[in-house]
Amino acid sequence: MRTRFRPSSLVPAGFIIDHLDVGIDRIGLVVRSGSATATCPDCRTSSCRIQSRYQRRAADLPLGGRRVELQVMVRRFWCDAAACGRKIFAERFSDEVLPTFARRTSRLEQIVHHLGLALGGRPGAGLAQRLMLPVSRDTLLRVIRRRATTHSYSLSVIGIDDFAWRRNHRYGTLVCDLERRRIVALLPDREQATAQTWLKMNGSIRIRADLCDVDLTRRAAHRRRMEPIG
Ligand SMILES: [Zn+2]
């Protein structure tokens, strides 16, 4: 069965393309939300009364060998709830699509994150340029650090592996929560003492595994050796 091609399938879910500008190495897409209403972030009341619009830029996955830049037309709405202190609010998009203040779509950020984990800062940034992903070495490292921070639950089973900040120059230690399949810490070096200090600060950990390969894309972590703590 043949399915009809829809231009909106090129952009993240929920967006509609209003205009397309194809250059030699760049595609500019003017997009807007397909929803007629938005929800006030304070009182959760839905509104369809538009107050104004502004433009927000975000990079997206490359297309046909060209980098993609979204110009998102964001609407400001009136909040009509009498008890709400906020009169005007800007529409927000899902964190799975485009988090508030993000300069990259979530699907691009996910690729950038995995590239940084697999190759480290400088080689990752080099490959990103070839793949038309607009990220610098510093951005790659920032994305990795941001995604490795803050967990509000107690850790129980973790995996530890080396990680290259700069391949052949500087290595760190990557700590992965094996139960939830996510990275929870990046330690600045691969010294035993640093890892031990971190383990002491996280006393809830029962089992530690040394990993030979952490692949969160396929949700697989191959264990080389597992040992109980304490
Ligand atoms: Zn409100």
Side-chain angles (χ1 to χ4, degrees):
M1 193 179 79
R2 291 176 67 179
T3 7
R4 197 164 153 262
F5 172 74
R6 288 181 304 113
S8 60
S9 62
L10 298 176
V11 290
F15 286 121
I16 291 172
I17 300 175
D18 274 343
H19 181 73
L20 176 101
D21 174 29
V22 182
I24 296 167
D25 58 359
R26 171 192 171 276
I27 295 177
L29 292 164
V30 180
V31 299
R32 64 184 160 86
S33 166
S35 169
T37 61
T39 306
C40 170
D42 284 3
C43 68
R44 313 304 301 166
T45 303
S46 179
S47 172
C48 62
R49 285 212 305 136
I50 297 168
Q51 190 259 356
S52 59
R53 290 179 172 83
Y54 67 94
Q55 215 177 75
R56 176 180 166 190
R57 287 173 189 274
D60 193 24
L61 293 176
L63 194 63
R66 296 171 171 87
R67 66 188 161 84
V68 170
E69 189 178 280
L70 302 183
Q71 292 173 52
V72 186
M73 299 307 299
V74 184
R75 296 166 295 179
R76 289 191 188 92
F77 286 86
W78 293 102
C79 177
D80 292 327
C84 183
R86 188 186 286 265
K87 292 296 160 228
I88 298 163
F89 66 90
E91 65 182 325
R92 296 182 183 191
F93 308 101
S94 152
D95 280 354
E96 280 77 50
V97 175
L98 182 63
T100 314
F101 306 122
R103 293 164 64 186
R104 281 171 293 280
T105 58
S106 297
R107 62 186 189 177
L108 173 59
E109 176 122 336
Q110 202 172 18
I111 299 289
V112 168
H113 183 226
H114 286 297
L115 201 59
L117 287 177
L119 298 177
R122 197 178 297 273
L127 183 59
Q129 294 302 320
R130 285 177 176 267
L131 295 172
M132 306 306 279
L133 302 171
V135 283
S136 65
R137 169 177 170 262
D138 289 344
T139 304
L140 268 175
L141 298 180
R142 254 198 315 275
V143 169
I144 294 166
R145 281 197 196 103
R146 192 167 56 232
R147 290 195 158 214
T149 52
T150 62
H151 58 275
S152 53
Y153 48 84
S154 59
L155 295 166
S156 180
V157 185
I158 57 138
I160 288 191
D161 196 7
D162 289 346
F163 163 76
W165 291 106
R166 259 185 88 190
R167 196 162 287 264
N168 298 327
H169 289 279
R170 191 182 153 206
Y171 287 85
T173 302
L174 177 151
V175 185
C176 176
D177 177 353
L178 290 182
E179 292 179 302
R180 295 169 183 84
R181 304 288 188 198
R182 59 182 294 192
I183 292 158
V184 289
L186 291 172
L187 310 182
D189 54 47
R190 51 180 175 180
E191 299 301 319
Q192 190 78 6
T194 308
Q196 289 298 339
T197 307
W198 188 89
L199 285 168
K200 277 184 195 147
M201 286 162 57
N202 291 270
S204 59
I205 296 165
R206 288 184 297 105
I207 297 173
R208 163 196 166 165
D210 286 338
L211 305 175
C212 54
D213 180 26
V214 180
D215 186 342
L216 294 171
T217 320
R218 282 180 292 170
R219 292 182 169 263
H222 308 294
R223 286 150 212 199
R224 190 160 56 197
R225 193 176 77 235
M226 295 191 79
E227 55 188 53
I229 301 285

